[in-house]
Amino acid sequence: MQRLAVAALLLCACGETDDRPQNLDYVTKAILAPSCGSAVCHSAFRQEDGLVFDTVDGARATFQADPQLIAFDDNDPNKTPGLVLNLTIEQPGAPRMPYDAPLPDVDIALIEDWLRAGAPGVCNGVRACLGQYSVPCDETHTITKDGQSVEVPYGAYVLSEFGKPANLCANGCRNGDCL
Amino acid sequence: MTRALLVLALAVTWLSADDAAAYPQLQLSYDQTCSSCHVSPAGGNLLNENGLAVAESMSQLGTAPEFFYGKVGGPKWLQLGGDIRIASGYLQTPSKALVTIPMQIEAYAAATFGAFSIHANVGPRPTTRGNEAATSVWAREHYLMWKSNPDDHLGLFVRAGRFMPVYGLRLAEHPTYVRRYGGTPLYADTYGLHAAVVQAKFEAHVTGFIQDPLIDTVSKDSGAYAYGEYRLTETLAVGAEGMFTHSADDLKFGGGGVLKAYLPSKNLLFQAEVQFQQQLIHTSSLNEAGGAPQRLIGYLLATWQPKRFLMIDLGLGHYDSNLLVKDLDRDCVDLNIHWFATSHLELILTNRYEMLAFGNGGPSGAYSLLQVHYRL
């Protein structure tokens, strides 16, 4: 009876929560690749607009090359990154993406959460070493911008950080240390 | 707004780019196997003698069904063909646009020498951005085939080369969920080895394949597909399938089932396919959690031929990109009307209405496209 109750609880729980990983690997392979990385769109085969979303390496290179897609504004941490804009609204000269089949709101929400967490995985370990895995999004850290120290949220990308070499931790890192 | 539409029209130039797959809608109603009408045991591309006869008999105006109406001669060992498809229509997914899409321009050739034959398709392809010069033309399929019975469409077939791995219903319409989200999305052709046994009562296909080592491909997977179909009667068939793939980022395994039933009195064919896919995203120092989406993909297709030259498809699709998370499911209704005007000319009106979580998961989408298909 107890087993039946547990099974029933599990069945009820199925599909109710979204505890999917918030990192580049998961977002790419579970969401971007099947929806955006199809044959004639943002696959390595086509590379429409120079964007590749069908592999983790391709997506990482895409985001590193165009940080506006995932970055929050230096002066406005709440400014929406380009990726979220592209997925949610029609902009001048550009349709809402994906253009052949809409993306579920739940997936867009996960992408937003991932970006607010600092888009873990994009900078090949740089962000992980900055600590965004363990630091809440509302905490801040200090960066140097134009020769001055500026407090910015950990959960937000800042464009000026992209001057750092992306392969700071070539083999990734854990708990702030390069592996 | 006009500029946006223009940009979108250009952007979707290859939205519905196609490959020449077979019409499994004609299976059971016309014959039992793909190889009854096609040179390949998997269907698609070149038609054999019986396939040409079917193309003529089911068209409204007839005309000689052979390559260029039989006006182009050639040696008996060489068979030529080709397909041209272009579509135009309206898209609202949810951005609104008028689109014109050159889908396919491909020429086919097969050279047969006894039990062996060499097959190749050549045509323009969607270019890779930044590498247009080297990626404007390709041979999407090219393979060597051995056939145990050279003069029969039944028997043992072995293919080695580049082609689409064999899995599921193998519908021509690549936006169908079982193709797009299943194992055979558009341009997923790659190098592999395919063995098939095709008999009137049953057929079995096993394909082992690798990621294309020569070009940036759509499919980054290596793996194996298996598909088997048993025809309980001349009008009822059941199938089963299994797959395993791995890539640098993940591995996937899954299986499914197929049911085909033809009602001769109503000239009505039902086909259904259900696929389950377990994806395991690799763990790494940057992705300790990995991730394991469980996908469910289904398609039910009813095909009615009120006239021999008119085929009406009503399809219901279901796709859940992760069964473990709520509101990730999508459903669609497809209505495709095919008019086989001549042995070579087909007009297809394709329509789709798509909903996310029955309207609760995001915006709905729709399109309506008129496609012209000319078989050389």
Side-chain angles (χ1 to χ4, degrees), chain A residues 13-21 23-31 34-41 43-50 54-57 60 89-107 120-126 128 133 171-174 179, chain B residues 1 3-4 7-8 10-17 91 93-96 125-129 138 180-181 186-187 215-218 220-221 247 249-250 252 279 281-282 284-293 295 319 321-330 354 356 360-365 367:
Chain A
C14 177
E16 292 297 325
T17 57
D18 190 354
D19 54 359
R20 294 178 290 174
N23 58 57
L24 177 72
D25 301 51
Y26 189 88
V27 166
T28 300
K29 293 309 290 184
I31 301 174
S35 298
C36 314
S38 56
V40 293
C41 304
S43 61
F45 174 80
R46 173 64 174 149
Q47 301 184 22
E48 185 66 43
D49 288 334
D54 59 348
T55 62
V56 175
D57 283 347
R60 182 181 289 119
I89 61 168
E90 189 172 329
Q91 300 168 84
R96 176 176 168 154
M97 292 288 161
Y99 60 68
D100 62 340
L103 201 63
D105 290 344
V106 181
D107 278 343
V122 168
C123 272
N124 202 21
V126 173
Y133 278 131
N171 299 313
C173 67
R174 183 171 293 145
L179 296 174
Chain B
M1 186 61 188
R3 184 167 167 251
V7 169
L8 182 56
L10 292 172
V12 300
T13 290
W14 292 94
L15 163 70
S16 290
L91 191 75
T93 56
S95 289
K96 301 171 184 175
R125 52 157 278 187
T127 56
T128 301
R129 194 55 61 97
W138 68 339
R180 171 168 179 170
Y181 301 113
L186 180 66
Y187 299 147
I215 64 170
D216 281 325
T217 53
V218 170
K220 304 293 184 300
D221 298 324
S247 72
D249 299 327
D250 62 2
K252 294 193 276 278
Q279 183 182 25
I281 298 167
H282 294 329
S284 69
S285 58
L286 294 177
N287 178 30
E288 292 180 342
R295 300 200 168 102
Y319 170 57
S321 61
N322 194 341
L323 293 168
L324 305 174
V325 179
K326 195 180 175 188
D327 289 343
L328 283 180
D329 55 302
R330 64 177 68 217
E354 183 176 52
L356 299 172
N360 297 318
S364 298
Y367 61 71

Side-chain angles (χ1 to χ4, degrees), chain A residues 71-84:
Chain A
F72 290 83
D73 190 271
D74 290 24
N75 302 311
D76 180 6
N78 293 316
K79 185 179 177 184
T80 309
L83 180 62
V84 176

Side-chain angles (χ1 to χ4, degrees), chain B residues 16-90:
Chain B
S16 290
D18 210 342
D19 47 19
Y23 280 138
Q25 291 96 317
L26 303 180
Q27 198 192 355
L28 299 187
S29 57
Y30 278 82
D31 219 319
Q32 299 294 304
T33 67
C34 299
S35 60
S36 301
C37 293
H38 292 268
V39 173
S40 164
N45 299 345
L46 285 171
L47 296 172
N48 61 23
E49 202 171 324
N50 184 52
L52 293 172
V54 169
E56 183 177 16
S57 69
M58 69 183 293
S59 66
Q60 186 170 17
L61 303 173
T63 69
E66 296 86 0
F67 178 63
F68 275 113
Y69 303 90
K71 304 288 186 195
V72 178
K76 268 200 162 182
W77 53 265
L78 181 65
Q79 191 178 355
L80 300 172
D83 282 296
I84 298 170
R85 293 171 195 259
I86 187 168
S88 195
Y90 177 71

Side-chain angles (χ1 to χ4, degrees), chain B residues 142-162:
Chain B
H142 46 271
Y143 58 85
L144 175 69
M145 184 167 81
W146 173 81
K147 195 174 167 184
S148 63
N149 302 322
D151 300 322
D152 195 354
H153 68 280
L154 303 176
L156 179 63
F157 298 75
V158 178
R159 295 190 294 164
R162 196 176 197 280

